[in-house]
Amino acid sequence: MDSGVGGLTILNESIKLNPNLDYYYFADYKSLPYGTKSPAVIRKSLVNNLNLLQEKFDFDVLVLGCNTLTAVAVDFLRRLYPDKIIIGTEPAIKVAINNQKTNILLLATPNTIKYNKLINQCKEDKNLNLQLKPMATLADLIEHNIGNLRELRPVIYKLLGDYTGYIDSIVLGCTHYIYLSKMIREYSQVPVFDGNFGVIKQIQKKTNPKKKAGKVYVLTNDIKKNDNLLKAWEILQSEGVRECAELLAT
Ligand code: DGL
């Protein structure tokens, strides 16, 4: 689940690594953006969506393909559905640290920066220079420009210009931002990390694949946004949006 196209980056990569599973992807466009809504509102819509989805589909693993949902709802969901396996998406700060990075810029939604436990722990670490940059509108901008992401170059260049020379890595703490990963890496000239690989490994660990290739269903509660999902899927099929993080994570 995600608020839009972000979690498709996980779906796309998970299908490659774990093809013999059935996947149901749900884009909660009615709640986009999660990043600036109150946790209570996000949790309410999540429970509504899950109730509807559970009536129709029989799933046993729930993947939060979204750092924000994970930050505000993963503990709550695990209490609510103790029998389900729930996998969250976390900013890959640890992957950056394991790669000897100490001057890290984290881009994430305001909610992720406020509520993610790992970020709050890392803030206290005196050996780490973690720059937190809450991005209130970037996920929305990506959705609006999904047909032409180059339009966002000035926004990204302006944002990163302030950090040139001060950082040795960037962590993308929002699955939407992964569509800009290549642009961000090329401009910043530092490694760019995200949490997808960790999620995909968890999916592999917690599931029992079938003997043959599974099916993939992509669903949304706002049919007008179907086109966004299709365009995003095309991007993911046509170009490697990220290389570095995956290589470094392995
Ligand atoms: N893709 C989501 C994430 O990883 C957030 C997008 C939103 O703000 O809705 O945090």
Side-chain angles (χ1 to χ4, degrees), residues 50-64:
L50 283 173
N51 286 342
L52 288 172
L53 289 168
Q54 284 193 113
E55 274 174 27
K56 294 201 187 318
F57 307 105
D58 181 27
F59 58 90
D60 36 30
V61 176
L62 173 63
V63 180
L64 305 177

Side-chain angles (χ1 to χ4, degrees), residues 63-220:
V63 180
L64 305 177
C66 172
N67 295 260
T68 312
L69 266 188
T70 307
V72 303
V74 74
D75 293 338
F76 160 82
L77 281 179
R78 287 188 176 132
R79 280 194 300 273
L80 200 63
Y81 302 104
D83 301 331
K84 289 240 183 286
I85 295 165
I86 300 175
I87 299 173
T89 306
E90 300 271 354
I93 303 173
K94 282 196 181 143
V95 182
I97 296 171
N98 289 343
N99 281 278
Q100 281 74 51
K101 303 302 173 198
T102 49
N103 295 299
I104 304 169
L105 170 63
L106 173 79
L107 305 177
T109 68
N111 272 339
T112 297
I113 288 184
K114 190 161 173 199
Y115 296 107
N116 178 284
K117 286 188 200 136
L118 178 68
I119 297 174
N120 283 308
Q121 280 164 21
C122 288
K123 268 196 323 203
E124 309 300 319
D125 185 343
K126 301 237 166 6
N127 299 317
L128 197 63
N129 170 23
L130 180 63
Q131 308 263 351
L132 304 175
K133 182 73 183 165
M135 306 294 296
T137 56
L138 189 55
D140 250 336
L141 281 175
I142 290 166
E143 290 283 350
H144 283 120
N145 292 282
I146 196 73
N148 190 4
L149 288 170
R150 273 173 303 195
E151 291 287 318
L152 296 182
R153 261 191 202 148
V155 177
I156 293 303
Y157 291 2
K158 186 168 184 304
L159 164 74
L160 296 178
D162 293 343
Y163 296 93
T164 308
Y166 297 105
I167 52 168
D168 58 16
S169 55
I170 297 175
V171 171
L172 302 181
C174 169
T175 50
H176 276 77
Y177 306 169
I178 293 172
Y179 291 91
L180 303 179
S181 186
K182 205 167 154 196
M183 186 192 288
I184 291 174
R185 189 173 59 244
E186 280 170 5
Y187 183 77
S188 66
Q189 295 291 311
V190 295
V192 178
F193 301 94
D194 63 67
N196 282 16
F197 195 69
V199 178
I200 295 156
K201 292 297 278 182
Q202 279 299 310
I203 296 174
Q204 192 173 41
K205 221 165 110 186
K206 308 272 181 180
T207 49
N208 295 313
K210 308 193 295 187
K211 294 233 157 42
K212 55 183 174 74
K215 296 191 176 115
V216 181
Y217 303 84
V218 177
L219 313 151
T220 175

